[in-house]
Amino acid sequence: MPFAEVALNVPLRKTFTYHIPDAFAGQVLPGCLARVEFGVAMQPGLVLALHDESPIPRTKPLIELLDPLPVLSPAYLDLARWLSESCLAPIGACLWLMLPPGFTGKSDQLYRFLRDDLGEPQQLSLPGAPKQPPSALDFRLLEYLRDKGPKRLSQLKRAFAKEPLTPALERLTEAGMLSSEAVLAPPSVKAKTRARLHPQYRVEQIPDLIAQLRKPSKQAELLELIAERDADAIGLGDALKRIGAKSKAPLKKLIDEGLVFVEETERGEQDLIILEAPPERVERALSAWRGEGYLRQLLLDFIAAAQPMTMKEATEATGASRARLKGLVEAGALELRDEILWRDSLRDFDFVPSAAPSLTPDQRAAWNAIRPTLQGRESARYLLHGVTGSGKTEIYLRAIAETLRQGRAAILLVPEIALTPQTVRRVAERFPGRVALVHGSLPAGERYDAWQRARKGEIGVIVGTRSALFTPLPDIGLIALDEEHDASYKQAPGMNLPVYHSREAAEQLARRHGAALILGSATPDLGTWHRARQGHYQLLRLPQRIMGHRQRIAQQADRLGLASRYQSAQDDALAIELPPVEIVDMRAELRAGNTSMFSRALQRSLGEVLARGEQAMLLLNRRGHATYVFCRDCGFVLECSRCDAPLTYHRVDRHLRCHHCGASEPQPAACPACQSPRVRYFGAGTQQVAEALNDLYPAVRSLRWDIDSARSPQTHFEILRKFIDREADVLIGTQMIAKGLDLPLVTLVGVVSADLGLALPDYRAGERVFQLLTQVSGRAGRGLLGGSVVLQTYQPGHYVVQAASQHDYAAFVERESAYRRELGYPPYRRLARLVFAESSPEAARRQAEEAARRLRQILQAQALTGTTLIGPAPCFFARLDRRYRWHLLLRGPDPRAALRELKPLPGWRVDIDPVDLL
Ligand code: ADP
Ligand code: ZN
Ligand code: ZN
């Protein structure tokens, strides 16, 4: 089949046809990476399929295979096609999701020096432009390329930063002084290697090797000569001549060592050298000077070493110089061999393998349903609905173990690595040495290595975030999504990116591998729940919370002298109750004269917990709300100059910060609108909560966990470690603290403001708040000490607050479903969202209106009467990162039908089944 259908990493949905030159006919397979010409540039291209015929009359050739083997298997090529189709995204962007960042080189231009006309000032010009004498830059460029050899444009740009490089290069190329050629830059990541010294001999061969390797010194040669001629003493002049000595230094060494003496003779005769030492001493001296003993030891060391040593290890272990080791390599005694180093993202964890507990009856029932699937090759889908702490993770671990036993690989997705360190740890501890971590903030090298190992089938378990799903594994037996409702599973809308949802992509991948899919959550996404009810997922339930940590808690309670008041009653119970939730009406607090951000109930509970030496968590829901700054006199609200979002006040550095773009500005002394000095911040951030807490309990030790206090994964781990090690009594945080933490000493969770976010103009606002409240309540009372939750709210009667306080998912689903059905929102209808982000509000509006006009035509022409268009309108976040945003929504049974017909507009972003309408 002489034609290849190729996808390029360009923002186009179509593929391209190239012909396969005879030179590598038969080597090109689907999934191969090749260099091709696209326009005038070189591009890496992925072969999607081979064809007998070309849809176009003239084709360009594949120029070169960049990897002898396919880089993607058919399952992943197929998945990319599905992604492109279902997200209406360019096929290239979908395929490149499956390659590690930096894996393919970028297209570039190579410049080569041709003629040395530097001396003669020649007139240069571009075609049609007046001639000019060469500039200083022209000369420097020519000199540089002559001396350094050919360079790529990207390299020249670094060497000649900020200089008008492009016109100069064009002039010089036009004048025939440089040549220019389209090339592909080399990939920016590659395997890391290290050379080790491998011995090439056996112990028996060491004497021969020594004889071959030893370099006798002059004094050794002289001594050898003298010892040989022991019977008749040798003349001094003759001896020195025989060994080719240029001075008397070797002889002096022998005399100093007391091995020989010189006997003076008559005039005219040579002095004689007489041997003085006994034979053993001579032997010893000879061996030392020839380096025999030393060499023997060195050669033995290499054989005795547990594994081949690196140069550095060898110089340290044997004391040999690098020159000496190189000599051994040159002589063929040692061989330097490169080995590939795996950059392992889990290297800093100290994992202790932990054994699996025996399952509870509920877990066993779920496990019995899943296990047969893992032992076969049919794909099956499960929704594991279990309350917080019901043992879902233990089910994933079982399933992973069974998958590995079947010789297949497993993927466990988590919402965010930094926020779920305990889950990562549990997996790594259960399967030491078999787990690789894959997530977006992994260094490129580690990402590359994990990808290479995965491709070779060397990885058993991948734990990671959204994109980890696309690490190509040869044979997947299980994909599990923990906290499947989490919003981070949806790719944020971006230009030309597939805005996919991991849940759907995982299902497609599982189907292509004949793998099991397990979705786990205490608060399943309403859509997932809906599909489970329709039979799309088999529903498995874990309705009871497991009493974990019994031993640990008992030990800890002992050590810390904690009251063990809950212990006696429930000592042997396997299940524990979910914590009771108290709803506090903050309006009533205000009426009673309490203006503090802590209600009397929360103050009381905090006091008790602190008095008992236990721990508490305080959650502040910051979504859609901020500690914004406004003028007490005119009401002016300070906003980010790039995003139009209210700025947040940070007392530490007295700066205002934008939570969308991160911009930071100093706190103004006066109102920008009316010059009043009474500009104040309003509302509360974690810092204000910490201060208020300190006012109440001066001795309290608190820790803050939010995006400001934890910017890197390391700081996340550090904060968590401090809390676990009881270096703090109260952890104050935003939604971050709600996810997956399992802390047995936390006996109180306080939600400072439960309803913030309920009023946002997004049909999912209620679902989000319900999930958050349920998750955070789930952090309390996970051990023997029990626990409770205090929910502070201004809307105590709201069904979301009510259902969350009862841990009643069913009640929430019933109300929420009725509301969605009535208004025609998902899961009853599907949505598609088009966002237009432009540098002026008029442009964004114009684009959105143009799209709406065309869509109305399409809807009419195709008689898609079930699909309606909502908007266009400005987004809730009307300006983000300097861009003005408008959006429109399509609602119907499958809004993609209309969108497929719509010719892409510049700057738009398509989001099918959006999870965020703000
Ligand atoms: P979830 O993932 O549903 O929040 P976990 O799997 O984290 O629940 O389980 C909660 C706690 O119960 C953990 O400390 C876990 O170690 C413990 N646990 C889970 N299953 C068992 C079991 N079968 N026997 C004893 N302890 C268990
Ligand atoms: Zn003002
Ligand atoms: Zn901003």
Side-chain angles (χ1 to χ4, degrees):
M1 287 192 266
F3 295 101
E5 184 186 350
V6 173
L8 305 175
N9 196 8
V10 293
L12 293 167
R13 289 221 296 263
K14 59 186 270 196
T15 55
F16 303 88
T17 303
Y18 289 85
H19 63 263
I20 302 171
D22 292 342
F24 34 91
Q27 295 168 42
V28 180
L29 297 169
C32 276
L33 197 60
R35 184 159 65 92
V36 297
E37 203 177 43
F38 181 64
V40 294
M42 286 298 164
Q43 284 278 355
L46 251 166
V47 177
L48 278 174
L50 303 177
H51 299 294
D52 281 323
E53 275 159 38
S54 165
I56 49 168
R58 288 166 67 91
T59 51
K60 290 179 177 177
L62 289 188
I63 298 170
E64 175 196 14
L65 273 182
L66 295 171
D67 197 314
L69 295 175
V71 295
L72 292 177
S73 69
Y76 290 91
L77 297 178
D78 201 39
L79 183 66
R81 282 192 195 266
W82 174 85
L83 272 174
S84 166
E85 200 22 51
S86 66
C87 305
L88 302 177
I91 177 75
C94 299
L95 285 161
W96 261 262
L97 267 186
M98 299 170 190
L99 300 175
F103 183 72
T104 55
K106 293 201 166 63
S107 77
D108 210 336
Q109 203 71 19
L110 185 75
Y111 289 93
R112 197 186 300 272
F113 175 77
L114 289 182
R115 259 186 11 235
D116 185 5
D117 288 342
L118 283 181
E120 303 157 34
Q122 186 187 335
Q123 298 286 297
L124 296 177
S125 78
L126 294 173
K131 302 243 175 217
Q132 287 173 355
S135 68
L137 176 62
D138 292 332
F139 278 113
R140 277 167 44 229
L141 257 171
L142 283 174
E143 237 169 54
Y144 185 83
L145 287 165
R146 183 194 59 194
D147 298 347
K148 305 250 161 161
K151 292 281 170 210
R152 293 190 309 277
L153 181 59
S154 53
Q155 296 170 311
L156 291 173
K157 278 187 176 155
R158 276 195 293 275
F160 294 83
K162 297 201 179 112
E163 299 196 61
L165 201 57
T166 318
L169 286 168
E170 278 177 25
R171 278 198 302 273
L172 293 167
T173 310
E174 182 62 31
M177 302 171 93
L178 297 181
S179 74
S180 124
E181 141 193 29
V183 293
L184 218 48
S188 59
V189 292
K190 50 177 189 287
K192 186 172 171 186
T193 57
R194 179 169 57 190
R196 287 188 181 275
L197 294 159
H198 293 252
Q200 302 297 300
Y201 50 85
R202 294 187 305 275
V203 180
E204 318 81 84
Q205 295 170 309
I206 289 181
D208 287 348
L209 258 178
I210 291 172
Q212 180 199 327
L213 286 169
R214 69 168 190 215
K215 283 205 200 94
S217 57
K218 288 288 172 216
Q219 75 254 25
E221 260 182 81
L222 182 60
L223 184 59
E224 226 166 14
L225 186 70
I226 299 163
E228 224 169 81
R229 306 279 283 284
D230 191 19
D232 47 338
I234 187 167
L236 194 153
D238 285 349
L240 291 180
K241 202 186 284 164
R242 287 275 295 275
I243 63 159
K246 294 191 183 75
S247 72
K248 283 193 180 172
L251 177 62
K252 189 156 182 304
K253 261 252 169 67
L254 300 192
I255 297 170
D256 290 349
E257 292 282 322
L259 293 160
V260 299
F261 65 89
V262 174
E263 195 173 271
E264 284 181 24
T265 50
E266 301 297 311
R267 273 184 50 166
E269 294 260 345
Q270 284 187 43
D271 288 349
L272 291 178
I273 307 175
I274 312 264
L275 190 65
E276 196 181 15
E280 319 85 70
R281 269 203 65 204
V282 172
E283 261 320 297
R284 233 183 300 136
L286 279 176
S287 160
W289 287 338
R290 285 168 181 158
E292 279 172 23
Y294 170 72
L295 261 174
R296 182 174 298 112
Q297 195 52 52
L298 186 60
L299 291 168
L300 280 172
D301 282 350
F302 275 102
I303 289 203
Q307 62 161 335
M309 289 184 275
T310 63
M311 266 295 184
K312 186 156 173 280
E313 285 164 359
T315 53
E316 276 163 13
T318 65
S321 67
R322 281 177 104 66
R324 164 76 81 166
L325 294 174
K326 287 211 180 104
L328 292 181
V329 173
E330 266 159 37
L334 297 174
E335 191 179 288
L336 263 179
R337 259 185 246 155
D338 275 345
E339 69 173 9
I340 294 179
L341 288 183
W342 297 129
R343 287 155 283 197
D344 181 0
S345 42
L346 288 172
R347 66 187 169 261
D348 295 335
F349 284 78
D350 177 20
F351 293 114
V352 191
S354 72
S358 57
L359 297 181
T360 64
D362 285 339
Q363 282 175 322
R364 199 178 313 280
W367 176 230
N368 284 341
I370 297 170
R371 184 163 53 181
T373 307
L374 297 172
Q375 292 168 342
R377 293 204 151 251
E378 287 289 311
S379 181
R381 300 176 291 262
Y382 304 94
L383 170 59
L384 184 58
H385 179 212
V387 298
T388 50
S390 59
K392 297 184 291 296
T393 308
E394 191 52 47
I395 296 286
Y396 310 143
L397 294 172
R398 283 283 161 134
I400 293 170
E402 182 59 38
T403 305
L404 293 175
R405 220 183 336 269
Q406 300 291 331
R408 307 176 81 189
I411 300 177
L412 173 64
L413 294 189
V414 293
E416 233 173 299
I417 291 285
L419 305 184
T420 49
Q422 289 177 310
T423 309
V424 174
R425 202 180 176 89
R426 274 169 77 185
V427 182
E429 278 174 356
R430 191 68 64 82
F431 309 103
R434 309 221 43 190
V435 181
L437 206 56
V438 175
H439 56 93
S441 41
L442 212 57
E446 287 176 22
R447 190 86 190 252
Y448 174 87
D449 287 354
W451 186 88
Q452 286 288 14
R453 286 173 66 199
R455 188 179 160 207
K456 291 183 183 144
E458 291 175 10
I459 289 179
V461 189
I462 286 184
V463 179
T465 49
R466 198 172 61 223
S467 60
L469 197 57
F470 302 118
T471 315
L473 294 159
D475 186 14
I476 301 172
L478 167 73
I479 305 174
L481 266 77
D482 189 25
E483 312 287 6
E484 68 86 34
H485 62 274
D486 198 276
S488 72
Y489 284 130
K490 176 90 189 214
Q491 162 78 46
M495 214 103 88
N496 297 317
L497 274 176
V499 187
Y500 65 93
H501 198 294
S502 311
R503 191 193 302 119
E504 270 82 56
E507 182 174 327
Q508 293 297 325
L509 187 60
R511 184 180 294 170
R512 282 162 180 75
H513 280 262
L517 174 70
I518 305 177
L519 308 177
S521 176
T523 51
D525 178 88
L526 208 65
T528 306
W529 183 254
H530 192 70
R531 282 190 295 279
R533 285 233 285 245
Q534 292 171 335
H536 186 79
Y537 306 111
Q538 186 182 339
L539 183 60
L540 306 169
R541 292 175 200 254
L542 299 177
Q544 281 191 306
R545 176 176 272 197
I546 294 176
M547 165 78 81
H549 319 289
R550 257 183 301 182
Q551 258 185 330
R552 227 170 88 207
I553 266 286
Q555 286 166 357
Q556 233 165 358
D558 237 22
R559 183 159 52 84
L560 303 167
L562 292 176
S564 53
R565 67 215 135 85
Y566 298 92
Q567 240 163 336
S568 55
Q570 305 198 329
D571 217 14
D572 282 301
L574 212 51
I576 42 173
E577 296 295 306
L578 286 163
V581 179
E582 180 178 355
I583 298 180
V584 178
D585 183 349
M586 289 306 273
R587 295 168 307 183
E589 290 296 307
L590 212 57
R591 282 197 297 273
N594 177 12
T595 54
S596 146
M597 65 175 86
F598 300 121
S599 61
R600 289 159 298 175
L602 186 52
Q603 290 184 18
R604 192 173 338 105
S605 301
L606 272 169
E608 286 165 14
V609 164
L610 294 175
R612 288 198 300 260
E614 296 162 3
Q615 289 181 307
M617 280 164 72
L618 293 177
L619 172 96
L620 196 68
N621 183 6
R622 291 277 295 278
R623 202 180 146 75
H625 169 83
T627 59
Y628 55 90
V629 183
F630 74 111
C631 171
R632 286 267 171 119
D633 289 322
C634 77
F636 183 84
V637 175
L638 291 170
E639 292 179 334
C640 171
S641 54
R642 292 159 38 140
C643 304
D644 284 357
L647 288 165
T648 310
Y649 180 64
H650 289 258
R651 196 177 271 185
V652 182
D653 53 3
R654 292 177 162 272
H655 265 62
L656 305 174
R657 188 165 293 135
C658 171
H659 277 275
H660 287 299
C661 70
S664 165
E665 297 173 14
Q667 153 91 330
C671 166
C674 75
Q675 268 64 52
S676 155
R678 306 209 290 167
V679 196
R680 295 278 177 79
Y681 65 92
F682 179 84
T686 54
Q687 206 181 318
Q688 285 78 36
V689 176
E691 282 161 14
L693 183 68
N694 239 78
D695 292 343
L696 272 178
Y697 305 102
V700 76
R701 299 166 306 161
S702 68
L703 262 178
R704 287 169 52 218
W705 194 357
D706 58 22
I707 28 173
D708 298 313
S709 57
R711 293 192 178 272
S712 74
Q714 251 43 55
T715 39
H716 286 293
F717 293 138
E718 187 52 22
I719 292 172
L720 183 60
R721 186 203 55 75
K722 280 190 182 156
F723 195 54
I724 290 174
D725 290 349
R726 297 192 78 243
E727 288 174 27
D729 312 302
V730 182
L731 180 64
I732 303 166
T734 54
Q735 18 288 58
M736 288 184 173
I737 62 169
K739 298 189 188 186
L741 296 182
D742 188 8
L743 306 167
L745 285 179
V746 171
T747 56
L748 172 69
V749 166
V751 181
V752 176
S753 43
D755 31 12
L756 296 171
L758 277 175
L760 287 171
D762 186 333
Y763 75 96
R764 296 175 86 96
E767 187 175 359
R768 283 239 166 85
V769 174
F770 178 78
Q771 288 164 346
L772 177 65
L773 294 180
T774 308
Q775 293 293 330
V776 73
S777 306
R779 302 309 121 212
R782 293 176 72 104
L784 280 171
L785 299 173
S788 65
V789 180
V790 176
L791 276 185
Q792 302 190 150
T793 172
Y794 290 90
Q795 302 175 63
H798 196 287
Y799 71 93
V800 163
V801 175
Q802 283 291 331
S805 72
Q806 303 293 318
H807 307 286
D808 195 344
Y809 180 75
F812 163 74
V813 164
E814 200 180 316
R815 279 293 294 269
E816 186 72 14
S817 299
Y819 150 75
R820 301 268 185 99
R821 191 184 297 118
E822 198 176 312
L823 296 179
Y825 278 122
Y828 300 97
R829 302 277 194 82
R830 289 181 72 179
L831 289 179
R833 184 188 192 207
L834 294 185
V835 179
F836 302 84
E838 296 290 335
S839 46
S840 81
E842 298 76 38
R845 178 193 192 124
R846 228 183 2 257
Q847 290 271 8
E849 280 173 352
E850 172 60 18
R853 193 183 59 77
R854 289 202 227 158
L855 277 170
R856 263 184 234 110
Q857 280 173 356
I858 293 169
L859 292 178
Q860 202 160 33
Q862 299 205 353
L864 293 168
T865 46
T867 305
T868 51
L869 195 131
I870 306 170
C875 300
F876 176 74
F877 293 118
R879 195 160 167 243
L880 275 186
D881 202 15
R882 294 209 172 99
R883 294 193 169 267
Y884 293 88
R885 300 163 83 236
W886 274 64
H887 68 166
L888 59 88
L889 295 172
L890 270 182
R891 178 166 63 182
D894 186 6
R896 274 179 311 192
L899 283 174
R900 265 191 215 106
E901 302 298 312
L902 183 65
K903 271 214 351 251
L905 288 157
W908 74 339
R909 285 134 208 235
V910 194
D911 187 352
I912 310 290
D913 301 329
V915 295
D916 185 341
L917 301 184
L918 297 178

